[in-house]
Amino acid sequence: MLELKHVCKTFNPGTINEKAALQDVNLHLNPGDFVTVIGGNGAGKSTMLNMVAGVYPIDSGSVVIDGVDVTRLTEHKRARYIGRVFQDPMMGTAADMEIMENLAIAARRGKRRTLRWGFTSQERTEYREKLASFDLGLEDRLTAKVGLLSGGQRQALTLLMATLQRPKILLLDEHTAALDPKTAAKVLELTDRIVSENALTTLMVTHNMKDAITHGNRLIMMHNGHIIYDVSGEEKKKLTVEALIEKFAQTSGQDFANDRALLS
Amino acid sequence: MIEYLSSLPSAVAQGIIWGVMAIGLFITFKILDFADLTVDGSITTGAAVCAMLIVNGCPVAVAMLAAFAAGMLAGLVTGLFHTFMGIPPILSGILTQLILWSVNLKIMGKANQALPARNYFLLVSQLNRTRSILVLAAVVIVLIAILYWFFGTEYGASIRATGCNLHMSRAQGINTAFTKIIALMLSNGIVALAGALLGQYLGMADINMGRGAIVIGLAAIIIGEALFARIARNFAMKLLAVVGGGIIYFFVYQTIVFLGLDTDLLKMLSAVVVAIFLAIPYWKKKYFTFAKTPQASDNLPFASAENPDGEVREEDGDHA
């Protein structure tokens, strides 16, 4: 479903701030794979997601989504294949627009936007039902401005927006990192439900190793722009946080304990 | 006093014309979040194109359509400066404004073109104020109806999203460069249309008539917002409030003229008033952070004891 071949990206080349964010990254995702991505700060996790989404062009290599080479497509053109939820709850929604309008815009991802009215009455019923199933009390606030919602509500709404049009790839970039633990747990629960209901191919970056182990069917660890560990199936289920820390120390020659990952 | 009262219809007519201009500005300034200085030039372009075509025997409707199209071209230039060439919004507008100075002189062939209402059929004119006001009211109603429809469509919504959140818009597949250009074209088209009306009303087009137009437009937007905030909740009412702001601006202007104050100072006064109103949101944020509005406090299944507002925790991201 997703194929990264020899993807390289260096930021600020030729300057003192030169940073090789991705170095020859190769990754193949099968349809329905739910992959969690862990690694320290600057490991290249977010960069990898941004390269898939087309936020910046890559230096070399290729990105193929469901057989379509999207390497040269701009961000908005790739959006038809990709659903995204960002770390910052402010980033995924338009604050000055109504919940209804945000959803209607998301429902037209990858489609031609015409001069027909922005949404149909049929959509209104559909969104109301979908929001009601989230149990957030949003179903009766369709005309409320999104700016009035809490961070958790906005992330849940962004998640719904990302999946209204079934994406070929769902990219979750630490989408619970900015939330308090209780809210984060609820958004993760919702994520699991949406991913399994729609059998979505998903890449989820997280700083929380426990979450990385308990969610998804496959786990990859990144370090200095490389994928240093890739585990799936039964082997992943048996993983423990301690084993992961040890694995990290082994492969990277560094101590993970200094990093934020252990704290979360 | 009679003199003052008899000047009021003119204030209403000019106020509506500048209100139309301010509606155009509203599209860039409020919806797109783009301070577009092109308008100082495109309003004159509208007047110049309209005047030259009418003087050369064109029907007034055709002349006004041409003025609208010329304004859209000006918006296209600013849009390309910004999106294709990566020039910041303010500078893009200033560059087009300067280009338009030359273009406007070339259109008219001189600095001033008379357009006497006695010689031509005009839609609006100082000579017939009552009819002018009725015509202008009709123009405003039609314009607001069209914009209300347009910004409610799928495409209009994508323009509003672009002005609100670029990240979200691109992630939802919106070509934000294109939506910006369309909004700039629409905005400057309307501004040029206002210029065409202003040229007819004053009976001339002048190379200097657009100087400081953006400040008058912003004043109309700000006055309208301040006075009609309670009733102007939906989009159509907000646009109507802008026109109301324009009318009030010209009432104040006529009053100042009547009181014998130096009208040379009016532009300075307008600029100062606009500056203060633009500063208010900033001051509120900086000095009155404790008087925070109860954001997201009602109906919050996601709020917790540690985080009653369900607010964003500060955390530095992975910027690799």
Side-chain angles (χ1 to χ4, degrees):
Chain A
M1 189 54 81
L2 174 69
E3 182 95 51
L4 299 182
K5 282 184 218 152
H6 308 294
V7 171
C8 296
K9 178 72 189 179
T10 302
F11 288 109
N12 310 312
T15 71
I16 195 161
N17 292 321
E18 181 170 302
K19 162 108 184 124
L22 291 180
Q23 303 180 44
D24 194 29
V25 168
N26 291 285
L27 183 67
H28 175 86
L29 262 60
N30 292 316
D33 264 357
F34 183 174
V35 181
T36 56
V37 186
I38 58 168
N41 284 331
K45 312 180 297 290
S46 288
T47 307
M48 183 169 76
L49 260 58
N50 284 337
M51 294 300 122
V52 174
V55 178
Y56 325 98
I58 55 176
D59 295 342
S60 60
S62 67
V63 180
V64 178
I65 298 174
D66 197 21
V68 181
D69 188 336
V70 299
T71 315
R72 307 216 169 275
L73 289 188
T74 54
E75 189 181 355
H76 72 266
K77 283 202 179 123
R78 281 188 215 190
R80 61 163 27 182
Y81 307 113
I82 299 169
R84 285 158 80 191
V85 185
F86 308 94
Q87 177 175 5
D88 180 353
M90 305 298 147
M91 255 167 95
T93 46
D96 296 339
M97 298 175 77
E98 298 169 1
I99 293 178
M100 179 75 210
E101 292 175 320
N102 272 275
L103 287 166
I105 284 173
R108 285 157 181 76
R109 179 163 48 78
K111 290 185 178 166
R112 243 179 79 87
R113 289 169 205 273
T114 66
L115 291 179
R116 276 194 293 268
W117 195 244
F119 50 84
T120 61
S121 53
Q122 196 186 334
E123 278 178 84
R124 189 190 295 272
T125 336
E126 184 195 331
Y127 300 155
R128 197 188 298 273
E129 277 165 17
K130 287 208 159 136
L131 285 172
S133 77
F134 279 19
D135 198 22
L136 298 172
L138 291 180
E139 62 274 17
D140 297 319
R141 299 177 64 193
L142 279 177
T143 55
K145 297 269 192 292
V146 170
L148 297 170
L149 306 186
S150 68
Q153 287 174 323
R154 283 181 83 157
Q155 288 304 69
L157 180 64
T158 312
L159 201 56
L160 177 58
M161 286 166 62
T163 52
L164 264 182
Q165 272 280 338
R166 189 173 182 274
K168 296 206 187 283
I169 311 283
L170 178 62
L171 301 177
L172 308 170
D173 190 358
E174 295 194 57
H175 66 310
T176 60
L179 307 172
D180 65 89
K182 216 167 131 192
T183 310
K186 278 192 177 168
V187 170
L188 265 180
E189 193 187 307
L190 205 56
T191 307
D192 266 343
R193 207 184 87 197
I194 289 178
V195 169
S196 63
E197 270 174 13
N198 300 291
L200 297 173
T201 313
T202 306
L203 267 176
M204 178 173 94
V205 172
T206 175
H207 264 104
N208 187 318
M209 288 208 261
K210 231 173 84 200
D211 288 343
I213 294 168
T214 49
H215 297 268
N217 65 331
R218 185 172 162 192
L219 179 149
I220 60 177
M221 188 191 277
M222 295 188 74
H223 182 66
N224 279 345
H226 296 281
I227 295 176
I228 55 171
Y229 184 48
D230 187 340
V231 58
S232 56
E234 284 306 309
E235 201 186 337
K236 175 181 178 283
K237 281 185 196 154
K238 282 186 229 142
L239 273 179
T240 59
V241 173
E242 291 71 28
L244 266 183
I245 292 171
E246 201 183 320
K247 189 82 205 166
F248 182 82
Q250 264 175 29
T251 38
S252 71
Q254 283 180 19
D255 199 353
F256 216 178
N258 291 332
D259 218 295
R260 189 157 68 104
L262 194 61
L263 302 171
S264 49
Chain B
M1 195 65 201
I2 303 240
E3 199 183 316
Y4 172 64
L5 289 176
S6 69
S7 75
L8 292 184
S10 186
V12 173
Q14 286 203 61
I16 299 177
I17 293 173
W18 282 94
V20 171
M21 183 270 172
I23 286 178
L25 194 63
F26 188 92
I27 294 171
T28 46
F29 186 70
K30 281 283 174 185
I31 298 178
L32 200 60
D33 195 19
F34 187 114
D36 180 24
L37 289 170
T38 317
V39 296
D40 278 26
S42 53
I43 190 165
T44 311
T45 306
V49 167
C50 181
M52 290 316 287
L53 285 177
I54 290 176
V55 167
N56 285 297
C58 228
V60 67
V62 176
M64 287 181 67
L65 272 178
F68 184 77
M72 285 181 87
L73 268 178
L76 175 66
V77 173
T78 303
L80 289 176
F81 278 154
H82 177 58
T83 59
F84 179 64
M85 295 167 72
I87 300 168
I90 302 246
L91 205 49
S92 301
I94 290 176
L95 290 173
T96 313
Q97 196 190 106
L98 207 62
I99 291 172
L100 288 177
W101 179 272
S102 300
V103 170
N104 293 339
L105 280 174
K106 281 289 162 202
I107 291 172
M108 294 190 286
K110 49 189 180 288
N112 187 296
Q113 171 64 53
L115 185 61
R118 285 184 190 84
N119 305 357
Y120 308 100
F121 173 77
L122 301 179
L123 223 47
V124 291
S125 162
Q126 273 174 320
L127 301 180
N128 192 342
R129 288 172 182 163
T130 320
R131 195 189 75 175
S132 297
I133 290 173
L134 289 175
V135 169
L136 288 170
V139 168
V140 163
I141 289 167
V142 171
L143 184 66
I144 290 178
I146 292 173
L147 290 178
Y148 183 83
W149 163 77
F150 178 69
F151 282 104
T153 63
E154 292 174 350
Y155 199 81
S158 70
I159 293 178
R160 285 190 290 142
T162 304
C164 189
N165 186 341
L166 278 177
H167 291 286
M168 175 269 195
S169 303
R170 292 198 192 113
Q172 299 303 341
I174 293 169
N175 184 346
T176 52
F178 201 68
T179 47
K180 279 181 186 176
I181 290 176
I182 295 291
L184 281 164
M185 288 175 72
L186 182 61
S187 164
N188 281 289
I190 292 168
V191 170
L193 195 69
L197 290 167
L198 189 63
Q200 292 176 55
Y201 186 79
L202 298 176
M204 53 119 202
D206 188 279
I207 190 70
N208 281 316
M209 69 194 289
R211 181 163 288 173
I214 190 168
V215 177
I216 300 178
L218 287 178
I221 291 174
I222 286 166
I223 293 170
E225 230 172 31
L227 294 184
F228 306 113
R230 281 175 186 277
I231 43 172
R233 291 197 179 274
N234 89 6
F235 184 65
M237 291 303 283
K238 276 182 185 162
L239 294 184
L240 204 57
V242 167
V243 178
I247 295 172
I248 287 164
Y249 179 90
F250 276 89
F251 264 88
V252 173
Y253 179 87
Q254 292 295 357
T255 310
I256 287 175
V257 171
F258 172 71
L259 293 175
L261 287 169
D262 188 350
T263 48
D264 288 350
L265 295 178
L266 195 79
K267 279 205 164 125
M268 184 179 83
L269 280 174
S270 315
V272 170
V273 169
V274 167
I276 290 170
F277 272 91
L278 290 177
I280 286 174
Y282 173 75
W283 286 340
K284 264 190 187 161
K285 210 161 117 192
K286 196 168 178 193
Y287 303 109
F288 300 99
T289 38
F290 296 109
K292 219 168 95 184
T293 47
Q295 210 189 9
S297 56
D298 55 324
N299 196 5
L300 270 188
F302 270 4
S304 61
E306 312 86 70
N307 190 13
D309 279 353
E311 277 216 359
V312 181
R313 209 169 70 205
E314 247 183 75
E315 194 140 313
D316 51 340
D318 181 10
H319 294 299

